[in-house]
Amino acid sequence: MKKDLISIKDLSAKEINDIFALTDKLKRDKGKYSQALKGKTLALIFQKPSNRTRVSFAVGMFQLGGTSIYLSPEEINLGVRETIKDVAKTLSRYVDGIVLRTFAHQNAMEMAAHAQVPVINGLSDLSHPCQGLADLYTAKEKLGKLRGITLAYVGDGNNNVTHSLLYCASKLGVNMNVAAPKKYEPDSDVVKQAKEFAALSGAAINLYNNASDACENADIIYTDVWVSMGQEKEAAKRRRVFKGFQVNKKLVSLGEPGCLIMHCLPAHRGEEITDEAIDSKNSIVFDQAENRLHVQKAILIKLLGKG
Ligand code: CP
Ligand code: NVA
């Protein structure tokens, strides 16, 4: 049966660790996998802008001996020019996998339900699984372990990146503190599920409405934009509400000595993070961005190749 990657919630800890182990191999020995997806084609359907996701998937396919086709919002015009179901069924006759960046998470689920080929969620309003996986892979690479470390997320709790981090952390035994203003806390269903996963892995999931409390003794402080793609009309209000949730030198000083700084990028410098923090020696944001490529290559081999 074909496998999709729509949410980290659907992956077991073993499956995540297998992706990480293959990523290690891919990073060590590039040449070995240069034909792993020979003759395969990946469709990239994007309804929102992208730098990292689009480029890393296209380059990843190329490095694995395959190719990719980018389909812009205007070209596919999902649900307007054609239904998701018809797009899924048609593309399944041409390509070996589909990456979809979309608004409603339901769109990604619908695409997966109707496609005969694997579908990868390249970001929906609810989750960003490739980001969450690359982030915790990077954390492991830098800290040498995951179990028992504490990741503090500061800012918009109710967004795709936070949700995927909650799933990935709770599955892997990583403690996660989320600091967000009231009404911007993570989705309550996601928190409930993450707490269930955490009970099995031994992780702690804590929610705060105050940035300092969440960052005390953190090994990693993570943030994302205050205004996600599609929320542009709320920008002015969000900038007011999130004012006390900026990652800056003072906040980082509350973490463990050497506390790492992460951001999925793109960053709005001077809003959710200061230049000083993102450019500091403890910032690992570009290693994190690079690992999107390596982790996604592992995902592509698992889903489109012989695994
Ligand atoms: N982090 C991330 O997904 O970046 P893009 O929006 O540029 O793809
Ligand atoms: N939360 C951000 C993530 C971008 C990678 C957004 O959805 O715009």
Side-chain angles (χ1 to χ4, degrees):
M1 213 179 80
K2 65 127 181 172
K3 271 200 213 141
D4 306 295
L5 175 56
I6 303 302
S7 170
I8 296 175
K9 160 182 96 163
D10 307 321
L11 297 177
S12 67
K14 178 178 183 308
E15 284 172 317
I16 299 173
N17 284 318
D18 285 350
I19 291 171
F20 289 179
L22 182 54
T23 307
D24 284 338
K25 287 190 198 161
L26 281 155
K27 286 190 83 165
R28 264 200 314 267
D29 191 355
K30 243 187 185 172
K32 189 172 165 197
Y33 296 91
S34 64
Q35 303 297 307
L37 296 182
K38 190 172 178 220
K40 306 254 181 190
T41 305
L42 184 70
L44 303 169
I45 309 176
F46 279 60
Q47 295 192 287
K48 293 176 180 175
S50 173
N51 169 1
R52 281 143 291 270
T53 308
R54 175 183 175 180
V55 177
S56 56
F57 267 115
V59 170
M61 276 307 280
F62 176 74
Q63 291 182 355
L64 295 171
T67 191
S68 63
I69 300 172
Y70 172 73
L71 296 152
S72 69
E74 297 74 33
E75 271 155 336
I76 292 279
N77 208 353
L78 212 60
V80 179
R81 186 167 184 267
E82 225 172 343
T83 63
I84 293 175
K85 180 176 173 176
D86 290 350
V87 171
K89 284 175 167 276
T90 305
L91 286 179
S92 298
R93 302 290 178 107
Y94 303 137
V95 302
D96 303 282
I98 298 169
V99 173
L100 174 62
R101 169 165 285 199
T102 190
F103 292 88
H105 188 70
Q106 182 60 31
N107 294 345
M109 306 224 304
E110 206 176 322
M111 185 71 78
H114 295 292
Q116 272 107 47
V117 296
V119 175
I120 299 171
N121 176 4
L123 180 148
S124 67
D125 287 345
L126 187 74
S127 73
H128 195 3
C130 301
Q131 185 71 54
L133 290 167
D135 292 343
L136 288 200
Y137 177 84
T138 309
K140 187 177 180 195
E141 202 175 38
K142 298 287 174 189
L143 297 172
K145 63 170 189 171
L146 284 178
R147 195 165 287 279
I149 68 162
T150 298
L151 185 155
Y153 177 95
V154 177
D156 185 8
N158 191 245
N159 80 11
N160 36 30
V161 170
T162 321
H163 295 150
S164 290
L165 285 170
L166 276 167
Y167 282 138
C168 206
S170 60
K171 294 247 175 184
L172 297 180
V174 171
N175 305 316
M176 185 160 162
N177 297 339
V178 179
K182 284 206 171 70
K183 300 207 185 109
Y184 294 86
E185 290 108 341
D187 178 271
S188 55
D189 286 338
V190 175
V191 173
K192 189 168 166 268
Q193 290 160 335
K195 286 193 170 171
E196 285 166 14
F197 300 142
L200 297 174
S201 71
I205 304 293
N206 298 303
L207 304 189
Y208 301 87
N209 293 122
N210 168 313
S212 314
D213 292 345
C215 290
E216 255 174 56
N217 305 116
D219 298 293
I220 297 171
I221 295 180
Y222 193 121
T223 191
D224 182 14
V225 289
W226 292 339
V227 184
S228 282
M229 293 177 278
Q231 298 173 334
E232 289 76 11
K233 283 194 184 126
E234 299 171 34
K237 181 181 173 200
R238 282 175 167 267
R239 283 189 195 111
R240 277 197 307 277
V241 173
F242 286 105
K243 228 176 167 146
F245 292 81
Q246 184 189 63
V247 173
N248 51 38
K249 196 177 163 191
K250 192 169 157 219
L251 191 69
V252 174
S253 72
L254 300 174
E256 285 289 310
C259 173
L260 299 173
I261 298 169
M262 296 183 77
H263 191 309
C264 57
L265 305 178
H268 291 169
R269 288 165 174 259
E271 288 187 19
E272 77 277 1
I273 193 161
T274 58
D275 281 326
E276 193 179 24
I278 199 168
D279 295 330
S280 77
K281 66 176 189 341
N282 292 347
S283 166
I284 55 169
V285 300
F286 296 109
D287 292 334
Q288 186 185 351
E290 181 188 327
N291 279 333
R292 291 289 305 278
L293 170 67
H294 306 300
V295 170
Q296 285 163 196
K297 282 168 73 178
I299 294 167
L300 288 168
I301 292 176
K302 294 267 176 209
L303 298 186
L304 274 61
K306 292 192 180 79

